[in-house]
Amino acid sequence: DAKTTQPTSMDCAEGRAANLPCNHSTISGNEYVYWYRQIHSQGPQYIIHGLKNNETNEMASLIITEDRKSSTLILPHATLRDTAVYYCIVRVGVYNQGGKLIFGQGTELSVKP
Amino acid sequence: DTAVSQTPKYLVTQMGNDKSIKCEQNLGHDTMYWYKQDSKKFLKIMFSYNNKELIINETVPNRFSPKSPDKAHLNLHINSLELGDSAVYFCASSQRSRISGANVLTFGAGSRLTVL
């Protein structure tokens, strides 16, 4: 079972910031939060990950709350090409000992003109 | 250069046939995965291999047999195909960062299997 919960869908106006929330209240102290997205008919694409500190890269920013129980992915200037399903993921189990990234339902983001 | 490549991209076959999907990664990663995405769009992990050793097997019917001849390849063979096997199958690879411990997956473009 996925360890994260996300809204099913969100809309965003083109050019505006898209803020996608995620709850991961059972995350353990050393687990990263990963964000991926899947544009229709393509393979999932890595966006960003974080542990405790906020992170930024060329695609997005990740804001993690101090208690690490939730995070927000920010696309600063959404474009129509950002329309996709966004997945917030936390590892279940130990890497190389059966640990795995389980994808939940994700948030379907629609960027509108 | 495609990092994770899958072949074929599309596969249409009859029930009862046996088919294979091949996956290759040129990223030097030590772990490879197969995920299945059904018509409801849920991505479910099926198998994972680390250094050619099977480490994840998610209650997948034994008609599905993964094979990893080396770290760069993970193939999926499916026997006696059923209608319910129709889905998009994604291969992925990863390497845990020795510095941060993070594990980022790189996915292939997917192989759409249609069983008639």
Side-chain angles (χ1 to χ4, degrees):
Chain A
D1 291 331
K3 293 175 63 177
T4 62
T5 54
Q6 300 175 250
T8 302
S9 62
M10 292 180 64
D11 289 341
C12 177
E14 188 179 18
R16 305 297 294 266
N19 297 287
L20 293 91
C22 178
N23 289 320
H24 32 80
S25 58
T26 60
I27 191 171
S28 61
N30 60 352
E31 288 292 348
Y32 283 83
V33 178
Y34 301 86
W35 283 83
Y36 288 76
R37 73 180 182 184
Q38 187 174 24
I39 296 170
H40 180 64
S41 298
Q42 298 182 18
Q45 177 191 24
Y46 165 77
I47 302 173
I48 198 168
H49 70 279
L51 185 62
K52 296 179 182 177
N53 300 322
N54 298 337
E55 302 288 345
T56 296
N57 63 19
E58 66 278 4
M59 291 182 70
S61 294
L62 176 60
I63 308 297
I64 302 174
T65 58
E66 195 169 339
D67 63 8
R68 301 207 334 115
K69 292 185 178 181
S70 64
S71 60
T72 300
L73 180 74
I74 301 172
L75 307 178
H77 306 286
T79 70
L80 299 179
R81 287 179 293 182
D82 292 322
T83 293
V85 178
Y86 287 78
Y87 297 98
C88 166
I89 303 162
V90 175
R91 175 173 301 282
V92 175
V94 179
Y95 181 75
N96 292 350
Q97 296 177 23
K100 51 205 170 193
L101 297 184
I102 296 181
F103 286 73
Q105 66 178 19
T107 297
E108 189 162 3
L109 175 68
S110 295
V111 181
K112 299 181 185 299
Chain B
D1 265 355
T2 302
V4 181
S5 59
Q6 302 179 221
T7 54
K9 189 172 175 64
Y10 299 97
L11 186 54
V12 180
T13 188
Q14 300 286 331
M15 266 197 320
N17 285 349
D18 303 337
K19 291 294 177 185
S20 293
I21 306 172
K22 296 185 177 181
C23 179
E24 177 181 5
Q25 55 98 0
N26 62 6
L27 298 167
H29 289 170
D30 64 0
T31 306
M32 296 185 71
Y33 312 78
W34 278 109
Y35 280 79
K36 177 182 179 181
Q37 187 168 42
D38 58 22
S39 57
K40 295 182 179 178
K41 303 298 184 184
F42 284 105
L43 269 163
K44 295 181 182 179
I45 189 166
M46 300 173 66
F47 300 104
S48 176
Y49 273 73
N50 174 257
N51 288 316
K52 302 194 296 175
E53 179 184 352
L54 180 66
I55 56 171
I56 295 174
N57 184 343
E58 285 290 295
T59 59
V60 175
N62 57 17
R63 298 182 296 103
F64 289 78
S65 54
K67 284 187 171 53
S68 182
D70 55 56
K71 288 199 307 182
H73 296 83
L74 181 61
N75 304 322
L76 184 64
H77 188 76
I78 314 171
N79 290 326
S80 304
L81 279 156
E82 300 178 356
L83 294 177
D85 298 332
S86 294
V88 181
Y89 292 84
F90 289 99
C91 178
S93 72
S94 72
Q95 177 84 36
R96 185 181 184 188
S97 168
R98 293 180 181 178
I99 300 172
S100 69
N103 178 37
V104 173
L105 270 64
T106 301
F107 283 83
S111 296
R112 181 176 294 275
L113 171 65
T114 303
V115 182
L116 303 175

